[in-house]
Each structure stands twice: as structure tokens, then as C-alpha cells.
Amino acid sequence: MRIRRGFVLAAAVLTSALVVVGCARDTGAPAGSGGAGATAGSGNSCATGAAPDAAGAAAPTAAAGAKPDASKMKVGIAFDIGGRGDQSFNDSAAAGIDKAKKDYGLTDVKELTASANEPDDAAATRLRQLADGGYNPIITVGFKYATALGVVAKEKPDVKFAIVDDSSVSLPNVTPLVFAEEQGSFLVGAAAALKTKACHIGFVGGVDVPLIQKFEAGYIQGAKAVAPNIKIETKYISPAGDFTGFQDPAKGNVVATGELDAGADVVYHAAGASGSGVFSAVKAKTTADSPRYAIGVDSDQYLTADAAVKDVIITSMMKRVDVAVYDYVTALASNNLTTLPKTFDLKVDGVGYATSGGKIDDIKAKLDGYKAEIVSGKITVKSTR
């Protein structure tokens, strides 16, 4: 009996040791986060690190000042492919212009839109057309304009330009409007890991270029901070140089369907107008017994996507192009460009996540905890995969 009791005790000790060793692996969770085990309220079988509680890090509030008058400004805006109505990137820029119209009396705005895979000469012609029409400033939406802008801004030194998503044009009349996309993507990656039931998620990129790789890198890091053993499918709709990946919903559907068929039950897209195809793929694969979820990008796509698919959208990575465009117009109307941040990041709410639909209310405190640790510098989010 004594031998048997000793054997049982030893086995119990060994079992406990194995459990401790198994749970003590590096979870990738932020400093100060709690112990192992599924995250409460998520229904998740692979989340191993408890996210920190929200630390109450408030976003900075702009100081009140005199309201600028933009009624005499003529603003040109050169959209990326898809233009106004893409339900994502361009629409966010358009929202910033629309707000400036409402708040500052801006009335004279001319909008032009890029074509897929057009040469740089075509983009330059578009910018010259706006400048020759007296539009100043001119806002270019998308890094594709960089080469053309570098040429035209030299030709038109008295015209002020801004470019979204590029900082390579170093001219005194050009203002870059750039974002920490990886930080916002970290938060929705954490959301995906907290919501997945399969411990298997996906990412669909529009075009395989460094900018979209920032979205992918942050998403993967955020997911693995919650669940280091999570499986992540990643695929791009088109390779570098082929920009149709931002405007091909059919291909977006095919890529997302492949990831869903591989076992992913949450898919995040950074694919512009192609994202509508991702949403429809997720909707088609969703059943009562096997729900699938989607994560939007740039705009709050729960509010902008077609009504038939919005119920599968649990959140969106908010890239506040609207804020950047609005703030740029504000700064120019106030004759003070120094008010603009160097990067629109989490500290200035230049990126973030959407809560429309209430589908992530149960994990919001955890996401805000991660946000606070990124803002404080406890977590550094990588911008490369």
C-alpha cells in the first residue's frame, strides 16, 4: 500500500510539473499580463495569454482654437484606383474632405481618380490638370502617386501637395501623411485570436508591397501575442507591380474562400475594394453551427459594406485617412502645418479598431489594454513580416 501511495504521489507531482512546463512557454503576451488558459468570455481554445486590462490611456485632445475659414480654398484630391465609393481607403479620404466642407465652409473641391495599372505619366497629367485649374492644395491618396508627385511638385513650387502613405518625396511643398498601420493591425490580430474557435485565422492582402506587409506583420504579431500556437493563413491577391489586387472582388472571394476551406474562421483583409469579395466569401461559408468572421480595413466597414454581409464583420482596422486629410486642410487653413503629427499612430488615434455592431464588446477591455501598452512603449509592433 505504501509503495502504491508513493507511486500515485510521484505521478501526481510529475503531472503537475508537466502542466507547469507546458503553460510556462513564452506566450508573447505583454509585460504584466496574467496566466495561462483560455481567455474568459471568448469561447477560445487557443488563447494562452490574458491581455492586460485597459490602463485608461486617454487619447490627446486637440486644444480649442479659432475655427479656420476655408471658404476661399480650392482643394484638389487625386484618388487611388476605386475612387470615392470603394467603401474603404478612398472613402475614408473623401470623408475627411466632406467634414472640412461642413466645418470650414470649403466648397470648391475637384476630385479625380486613378485607373488600374496606369503609367506614372497619367498620374502626373492628373496632378498638372488640378494645379493648372488653380487647385491648391492638392491631396494625393496613395503611395502610387509618389513618382508623379516628385515631378509635378518640382514644376509647381507654389502649389502645396500632400500624399497619403508615402514619405519619399522630400520637397518643401509636399507634406507626407503616413500611418502606423502595424499598430492598428496588431489590435485586430489580437481580436481575431480572441474570437477564433478553430485557433486558425487568415489574412488577405491586396498587393504584395511593403505598405500592405505592414498590415500583415502587425496582424500576425497581435494574434501571436494572444495565442503563440495559432495558425495563420496569408495570401496576396496580386504581386507587386500589379495593382488590380485592390479592385478585384472576385479574386478577393477566391483567395478568402481558399483560406476558409483551409480551416480559418476569421479573415482580415487589407485589399481595398477587393475586400467586398472577402466579406461575401465569409458570409457564404457561415452556418449556424460554424460561424465565420471577417475583419475590415481603413473605414468602419460594418457601416459601409453591403447590408447582406455586414453581420459577419466583427471589427475593422481603422486607418484614419479621414482624420489626416481633415487635419491637413485645417492646418493649411490656419497657416500652420506644424500642428500635424509626424505619424498618425495610436497615440493620436490615427489608427485603431471599430466597435460597431457590438461583436467585440466582450473583449474591448483586453484590446484597450494592448493599446495602452503599445502607446506606453511596453509593446513595440514590428512593421515588417
Side-chain angles (χ1 to χ4, degrees):
M1 178 67 72
R2 182 175 301 169
I3 293 175
R4 182 176 179 83
R5 288 174 59 193
F7 175 78
V8 171
L9 178 61
V13 170
L14 179 60
T15 300
S16 298
L18 289 172
V19 169
V20 170
V21 170
C23 293
R25 66 182 182 228
D26 179 11
T27 65
S33 60
T39 305
S42 70
N44 185 309
S45 62
C46 74
T48 58
D53 289 330
T61 302
K67 187 175 181 179
D69 180 6
S71 60
K72 296 181 180 179
M73 291 177 67
K74 295 182 66 174
V75 178
I77 183 162
F79 285 121
D80 204 347
I81 57 173
R84 185 187 280 266
D86 71 346
Q87 301 180 347
S88 184
F89 181 57
N90 290 295
D91 272 358
S92 186
I97 286 292
D98 291 346
K99 182 171 172 57
K101 289 179 180 178
K102 178 181 178 182
D103 291 353
Y104 302 144
L106 177 64
T107 58
D108 196 346
V109 176
K110 187 172 181 64
E111 301 176 357
L112 298 175
T113 301
S115 300
N117 293 334
E118 68 180 11
D120 290 329
D121 285 350
T125 297
R126 184 177 308 111
L127 300 185
R128 291 189 188 100
Q129 179 182 344
L130 290 169
D132 292 344
Y135 291 93
N136 184 4
I138 296 170
I139 302 167
T140 59
V141 183
F143 64 87
K144 275 184 79 265
Y145 280 100
T147 300
L149 178 60
V151 173
V152 178
K154 286 181 181 179
E155 297 173 358
K156 312 283 186 181
D158 295 330
V159 176
K160 291 181 171 61
F161 296 87
I163 181 167
V164 176
D165 285 347
D166 183 85
S167 59
S168 68
V169 185
S170 298
L171 293 170
N173 58 332
V174 175
T175 299
L177 303 175
V178 294
F179 300 81
E181 293 93 349
E182 70 278 6
Q183 292 183 356
S185 295
F186 180 106
L187 298 181
V188 298
L194 289 165
K195 285 295 184 179
T196 178
K197 299 295 194 299
C199 203
H200 193 166
I201 61 177
F203 172 82
V204 176
V207 181
D208 194 357
V209 291
L211 174 65
I212 306 304
Q213 291 163 12
K214 289 173 68 178
F215 292 80
E216 178 192 359
Y219 181 66
I220 290 172
Q221 187 178 345
K224 287 186 175 293
V226 173
N229 61 325
I230 196 167
K231 186 173 182 180
I232 306 173
E233 307 285 336
T234 65
K235 190 167 183 179
Y236 287 80
I237 297 170
S238 64
D242 178 2
F243 292 96
T244 60
F246 290 131
Q247 201 180 15
D248 196 333
K251 286 186 179 178
N253 185 295
V254 170
V255 172
T257 298
E259 294 187 349
L260 294 162
D261 287 344
D265 61 358
V266 183
V267 178
Y268 171 42
H269 89 86
S274 298
S276 63
V278 174
F279 297 150
S280 62
V282 172
K283 178 69 173 181
K285 292 290 184 179
T286 293
T287 66
D289 296 331
S290 181
R292 307 294 179 93
Y293 304 113
I295 296 174
V297 76
D298 295 335
S299 300
D300 183 349
Q301 295 202 283
Y302 180 86
L303 301 178
T304 63
D306 293 341
V309 300
K310 77 174 191 175
D311 61 312
V312 301
I313 302 172
I314 57 172
T315 185
S316 297
M317 197 288 279
M318 298 287 286
K319 178 176 172 178
R320 301 304 302 269
V321 180
D322 58 332
V323 170
V325 168
Y326 178 82
D327 286 357
Y328 177 68
V329 174
T330 303
L332 277 184
S334 304
N335 197 29
N336 187 7
L337 284 173
T338 64
T339 60
L340 294 173
K342 183 177 180 181
T343 302
F344 288 86
D345 58 12
L346 281 176
K347 288 182 181 178
V348 297
D349 280 339
V351 293
Y353 68 94
T355 59
S356 297
K359 298 176 184 297
I360 58 167
D361 287 353
D362 58 327
I363 60 171
K364 186 178 183 301
K366 303 180 193 311
L367 300 182
D368 287 345
Y370 279 119
K371 175 182 176 179
E373 295 209 340
I374 293 170
V375 168
S376 71
K378 289 183 179 180
I379 297 175
T380 298
V381 185
K382 297 178 181 178
S383 60
T384 56
R385 57 191 182 186

